[in-house]
Amino acid sequence: MKNIGIIGYGWLGERIASSLSGKYTISATTTTENKASDLNNRGLNAVMASFPDYQLTEPVPQWEEINTIDALIITIPVSEKSCCVSSLYNRIQNLSSFIGDFKGQMFLMSSTGVYPDLPKDFIEEDVPLESVSGERMLRNKYPQLSILRLGGLMGDNRLLKNYNVGNLDHAVNHIHYADISAIITKMIESKAETKLYNVTAPIHPAKSQVINAQKNIPDEEVFEVKGKKVLSSKLVSELDYVFQYPDPRTFHL
C-alpha cells in the first residue's frame, strides 16, 4: 500500500486524508503537539512541523517519514499574498529542508488567486507558473511537482451564504473538496507529474445564484453573469475527469 504524505493537516488536508485513507496509509504534519497526538491515536503517522517565513539559525530537521512516502501533497500557503517574496523564499527553504531531495510524486495546492480580477475566461497559460513566485521556486527545486490551482474551497460547513460577499452578479470559481481528492487520486494512479491545472467546478453561476440555492430561494431573475471565470477544461481533457460536483449551486446537497 502506498504511503501519502500531507504537509498541512488543516481544513483541506483533513478532507483529503479522509478520502485517501481507505486506499493509502497517511503521514501528515500539523502545527501543534496536541493535534499530532490526536492524529496518531486515530491511526495516522503525524508529526508537528512548521515552516516559518524567516531564516532559522539551524535548518529544519528532515522528516523521518520522507523516505517511506510515495506521493506528497502540500497544502500550506506558498504565495506572495501570504508573505513577501523574501519571506516566501525562506518558507520554501525551510520546507525543502524538511522534505529533502524528495523524488516521488508531488502536488502543490496553489490558488486561482494568481489570476488578475478581470472580466474574462482564464486558462493556465494566461499566467504561467514562471511568473508566480511560490510555484516557480518549488518547481525549480522539485521538477516533478504538479501544481493544482484551486478555486474557492467549498463543501461541508463552507457555504457562500455564511459569508459577507460583494459583487453578487459576479461568477464564482468554486471547487468541492471531494473533487480535489478525486483528482489527486486519479493523478496518483496515473503517475502524473509536472502538471499545471486549474481546479474549479466547470459551471460558474453568479454569487447570488449560489446563495439563493443554499437558502432555497427561487432564482427567477435572468441576468448576465459578470467577472472572471477560471476554466478547468485542460484538466478535464487530459485526465478525462468527470466532476462529482460540477455546479456550485448543489454543493450543499
Side-chain angles (χ1 to χ4, degrees), residues 118-218:
L118 297 173
K120 61 167 286 184
D121 293 355
F122 285 96
I123 60 174
E124 291 83 353
E125 289 73 20
D126 289 324
V127 179
L129 69 89
E130 290 79 11
S131 64
V132 182
S133 297
E135 294 179 358
R136 182 185 69 250
M137 290 179 193
L138 267 177
R139 175 65 75 78
N140 285 343
K141 284 182 173 293
Y142 303 98
Q144 78 274 28
L145 178 73
S146 288
I147 299 163
L148 304 183
R149 291 174 174 169
L150 307 182
L153 304 178
M154 293 293 169
D156 281 351
N157 58 334
R158 289 200 177 188
L159 298 174
L160 195 61
K161 70 176 183 179
N162 298 330
Y163 298 87
N164 184 19
V165 297
N167 297 322
L168 292 176
D169 57 350
H170 282 50
V172 299
N173 295 283
H174 287 172
I175 183 66
H176 195 287
Y177 68 85
D179 277 306
I180 299 172
S181 299
I183 288 164
I184 291 173
T185 299
K186 190 153 194 174
M187 293 180 74
I188 291 172
E189 292 174 348
S190 65
K191 297 181 172 57
E193 292 187 339
T194 68
K195 300 297 184 181
L196 172 63
Y197 291 139
N198 294 332
V199 184
T200 57
I203 298 174
H204 301 266
K207 296 175 187 177
S208 64
Q209 293 174 311
V210 175
I211 292 170
N212 285 343
Q214 292 171 355
K215 292 183 175 181
N216 201 27
I217 297 173

Side-chain angles (χ1 to χ4, degrees), residues 172 179 201-205 210 243-252:
V172 299
D179 277 306
I203 298 174
H204 301 266
V210 175
F243 279 81
Q244 299 177 29
Y245 293 88
D247 189 342
R249 288 170 291 192
T250 67
F251 280 12
H252 62 294

Side-chain angles (χ1 to χ4, degrees), residues 15-118:
R15 283 155 180 80
I16 293 173
S18 178
S19 174
L20 299 182
S21 61
K23 287 187 174 182
Y24 308 105
T25 58
I26 305 294
S27 298
T29 74
T30 185
T31 54
T32 68
E33 286 288 3
N34 286 342
K35 190 170 182 180
S37 177
D38 177 59
L39 295 180
N40 281 309
N41 290 336
R42 288 157 51 185
L44 278 72
N45 299 315
V47 297
M48 185 183 77
S50 62
F51 311 99
D53 55 11
Y54 51 85
Q55 192 169 8
L56 300 173
T57 55
E58 296 288 336
V60 175
Q62 186 168 305
W63 195 5
E64 290 183 5
E65 292 284 330
I66 197 65
N67 292 326
T68 70
I69 288 172
D70 300 289
L72 190 62
I73 300 166
I74 300 169
T75 72
I76 63 171
V78 287
S79 70
E80 291 177 53
K81 289 189 175 181
S82 61
C83 55
C84 64
V85 175
S86 59
S87 297
L88 183 60
Y89 173 82
N90 290 331
R91 176 173 294 175
I92 290 175
Q93 287 295 105
N94 292 327
L95 173 62
S96 299
S97 295
F98 185 69
I99 62 178
D101 188 24
F102 183 72
K103 300 294 188 185
Q105 274 183 294
M106 198 169 177
F107 302 90
L108 172 65
M109 303 299 102
S110 186
S111 169
T112 55
V114 302
Y115 298 105
D117 193 14
L118 297 173

Side-chain angles (χ1 to χ4, degrees), residues 203-245:
I203 298 174
H204 301 266
K207 296 175 187 177
S208 64
Q209 293 174 311
V210 175
I211 292 170
N212 285 343
Q214 292 171 355
K215 292 183 175 181
N216 201 27
I217 297 173
D219 206 11
E220 299 174 354
E221 185 181 2
V222 177
F223 58 89
E224 179 187 358
V225 178
K226 299 178 181 178
K228 74 177 178 183
K229 296 179 183 178
V230 180
L231 307 183
S232 55
S233 48
K234 179 182 175 184
L235 178 153
V236 170
S237 173
E238 293 189 5
L239 294 182
D240 193 25
Y241 184 72
V242 178
F243 279 81
Q244 299 177 29
Y245 293 88

